[in-house]
Structures are given as C-alpha cells and as structure tokens.
Amino acid sequence: MTGRAGRTVKAGNQASAGDLLELVRSGRATTRGALQQATGLSRATVGQRLDRLFRAGWLREGAGGPVDSPLGGRPSITLEFDDEHAVVLAADLDTRHGRAAVLTLTGEILAEHAGVLVIDEGPEAVLGELGRWFAELLEKAGQPAETVCGIGLAVPGPVDSDTGRVVQPPIMPGWDGYDIRGRLGRAFAEHTGLRTAQGAGSEAGIPVRAEVPVLVDNDANLMAYGEQRTGYPDCSAFALVKVSTGIGAGMVVGGAIYRGIDGGAGDIGHIRVGADALCRCGSYGCLAAVASGGAVARRLAESGVPAASGSDVRDLLTAGHPEAMALAREAGRQVGDVLATVVTLLNPGVLMIAGDLAGTPFLTGVRELLYQRALPRSTAHLDVVTSRLGERAGLVGAGALVVEYLYAPERVEERLLALGV
C-alpha cells in the first residue's frame, strides 16, 4: 500500500512500528482496528508495535471514534500523532536577507525572525549568525534546545541532497562544496549550549546528545514543497517559479520533490534566451540576467531610480511605481516564454509564481506569453497562481522536509532502536 509522498507502507508481518505511524500520520488508519485491517497484523502484534510508539512519545490517544458495529458497544479510541513532543528549526536564506523560525511537527510557526543576512559574507559567518538566531527563537518560543529534533535550511543555489552541499552556486560565492550541515550543527550547539556527539566531546558525567540532523535543499524546491503540501496536496505535478534576485523553479511530482540526479533540476534562470546580458554565472544571455529582480533593479538604477535588489523592486511595485511595473511586466513576458517549454514538458496542474516580482504586472506578462506559446493541451487544466504562504513558504517546506525525513517508516525503526524502545 502507498503512504504519503508515494512511500510504500508494508502489509502483513513485515509492517513495522514505522509503518503504523505512517498510517496514523496520513489519516489512513487511526484506530487499532483500522490498523489491523490495513496491515493484516494480529491485535497483539499491533498492540506491541503501538506500545513502542507510545513509549517514544510519538503517539497519543484522542477522542473516541464512531462505533463500527451495528450492535453498538464502546467507541473505538482514535490514535493521533503527538506533534508536541519535539520542534523543528527552519531557515530560508536569500542573497541579502534571512528568515528563521521554530515550528511544530505539523508546521505551525511558534516563533519567527527575519533580518539582514548577506550571503556574500560566506558560510562561516552566515551560519554562525543563524545559530544565534535559533537560540534566541527557542527562548522566545519557550522551548529548550533538547526538544529540537532537526534543522531544515533553504539556500538559493543547487544542492546535492546526499551531502547537503551546494554545487557551483552562481549567486553564493564561497559556498561551493562547503560543509553546511556540519557548520550549522556546530553553530546550533555553540549558541544553545547543547552538547552533541558532533561537538568537541563531553566532560565526565555530562550526557552527550546525539547530533541534531541538518537537512539542506534549494529554496525554490522547499517553497514548492511547502506550498504543495499545505495548499495543493492532491496535485500530482506542481511547479513553483521563484523570481527574486535570481530565478529558480521547484517541482513536486507524486508528492516528492523532483531534484534530478544531483540537485540541478529547476535551474531555469540559466536557460539562454538570446540576449547579450552578462549573467552572474559568467555566461551571456541567461534568463536571470534579463528577467530577474536583480536585472530589473539594474535597469531601474540605470534610469535613475534607486534600486539594488529584487526586494527594492518589490517595494517599488507595492508603491505602484510606473516604470517598475512596466519592467516587471516585460520580465514576466520573458519568463513566460521559457515557462511555455516547462509546462509542455512537465504538464503540471499548478504553476505558482513566487518571489519579489510575484505581483500583478509580472503575472500578467507571464500569462501573455505562456498561453500564446504553449500548446492548448498543456494549459487546458493548468492553474497559474501566486504564492499562498508568501515569505514563509521556504520555512514551511524546510520544516516539512525534516519531519518527513525523521518519521519515514525506515527511519522510525532506527530511532526507536536508538531510544531503546
């Protein structure tokens, strides 16, 4: 049988405690009887495996469900995933700003902070500062560091998901191949005073906690994941295009992020569009060089309008600046021309426009060229929309990525054994 994100849940005697937790979390089976029916396990075996989840603090009993038997009787006790036993830390980096939050295991934001964080200052400084933000946010949320089960980070560059390292990022100088997971884990431990197995070692008599896992992914991927899971869970092919300082796309196919073979999928900002503008990647004619927020900002600055980044353009668009609106619409047309090919290839049900330029002028330009260039068959069932979660999309997606990683059936078994239950 299939669980969330296309995962297969084992049936019969092979169904583990992790499989039972997956069925409860997905809502497919929320009583002991329903778990027996879904897996084919005996009542005693289901009870034994649920007991491990209760002892770990991952399950709780809810209110009584409906009575299944026509003869009446006591209602079945429902089972619920206990989202209060731990919290997740998440951060989303842009080129000049960062955002961080403490989230519950179901994605509710408990505390949040946004501020200046310049990616050009390099990973050592930026990740060190994120560690400080995390410590302050945990205090604000009233959560001790020991409740953190994982950290998720969104970055504006291609990421090898196996290693968590960015690979030749055009707009992240000094980050190529850097050990982001290790540095952020150390920064978290340093600023919270939490001793982990990743740290410098424990003193006699002081317990050492296992290393807090850090997951890293591309920002557009995590924005797409957050938006799809919260707003379009039934959409089997979902695409999000982020247009800020650069341009990138994230795709969720069959409930899972599509990354390609090494994290390079969705890097549409470096598709050549025939212009002669120099891109930050070193090539000429990239889409990002002519249609990103950074490109629009440069054109505005050349005409005497103060603008240095995509966020400056966003502020001008909010104020209704006529030249900024005209340039944003033209940028939308250029992006829409490229998206006609993307839509034809992927055939998504939802195409979401997000980022600094995601307003009416840009969206109008996208629609003009997209519907003009794409085959009617590709757009017949396509919804072109703007972000629902706004600036929080990356945080929500990063948090969800951590939770899905930690509570996947195979990893549940590993963690239960480590806990001794």
Side-chain angles (χ1 to χ4, degrees), residues 5-167:
R7 285 202 294 259
T8 299
V9 177
K10 298 185 182 74
N13 290 331
Q14 291 184 324
S16 65
D19 291 314
L20 299 190
L21 182 63
E22 175 70 14
L23 289 168
V24 173
R25 288 185 60 227
S26 65
R28 297 187 62 200
T30 57
T31 66
R32 288 169 173 82
L35 289 170
Q36 287 178 241
Q37 186 175 12
T39 62
L41 294 174
S42 69
R43 180 177 180 180
T45 303
V46 166
Q48 291 168 359
R49 292 178 183 173
L50 289 179
D51 182 60
R52 298 176 69 199
L53 298 171
F54 278 114
R55 282 188 285 151
W58 299 349
L59 274 189
R60 64 188 173 203
E61 291 186 340
V67 177
D68 295 330
S69 172
L71 300 178
R74 298 169 65 179
S76 301
I77 299 298
T78 60
L79 303 170
E80 300 174 350
F81 178 59
D82 188 344
D83 67 337
E84 297 178 355
H85 72 269
V87 295
V88 173
L89 294 173
D92 185 6
L93 299 180
D94 207 333
T95 53
R96 293 159 57 96
H97 298 85
R99 186 175 293 268
V102 181
L103 298 93
T104 69
L105 298 181
T106 50
E108 177 187 353
I109 292 179
L110 301 177
E112 184 179 7
H113 174 74
V116 175
L117 209 53
V118 181
I119 208 87
D120 284 2
E121 293 183 357
E124 189 74 20
V126 170
L127 298 175
E129 182 67 0
L130 268 186
R132 185 179 70 80
W133 286 12
F134 283 152
E136 293 176 352
L137 284 168
L138 285 169
E139 184 175 354
K140 182 179 178 181
Q143 296 285 343
E146 290 77 10
T147 63
V148 176
C149 64
I151 300 172
L153 176 65
V155 297
V159 176
D160 182 333
S161 59
D162 290 336
T163 65
R165 299 173 187 245
V166 293
V167 181

Side-chain angles (χ1 to χ4, degrees), residues 222-246:
L222 292 180
M223 290 173 69
Y225 197 47
E227 295 278 8
Q228 188 270 339
R229 285 175 55 84
T230 58
Y232 303 90
D234 297 326
C235 181
S236 60
F238 179 96
L240 177 144
V241 178
K242 179 186 178 184
V243 187
S244 291
T245 299

Side-chain angles (χ1 to χ4, degrees), residues 299-314:
R299 292 184 64 182
L300 287 168
E302 289 168 0
S303 65
V305 179
S309 67
S311 58
D312 292 335
V313 178
R314 179 191 60 206

Side-chain angles (χ1 to χ4, degrees), residues 348-387:
V350 175
L351 173 62
M352 179 173 284
I353 308 299
D356 292 329
L357 298 193
T360 300
F362 186 86
L363 190 63
T364 299
V366 167
R367 285 177 168 150
E368 284 179 17
L369 264 291
L370 172 62
Y371 287 105
Q372 177 183 327
R373 299 292 170 83
L375 291 172
R377 174 69 181 82
S378 301
T379 58
H381 303 288
L382 175 68
D383 289 330
V384 182
V385 300
T386 53
S387 172

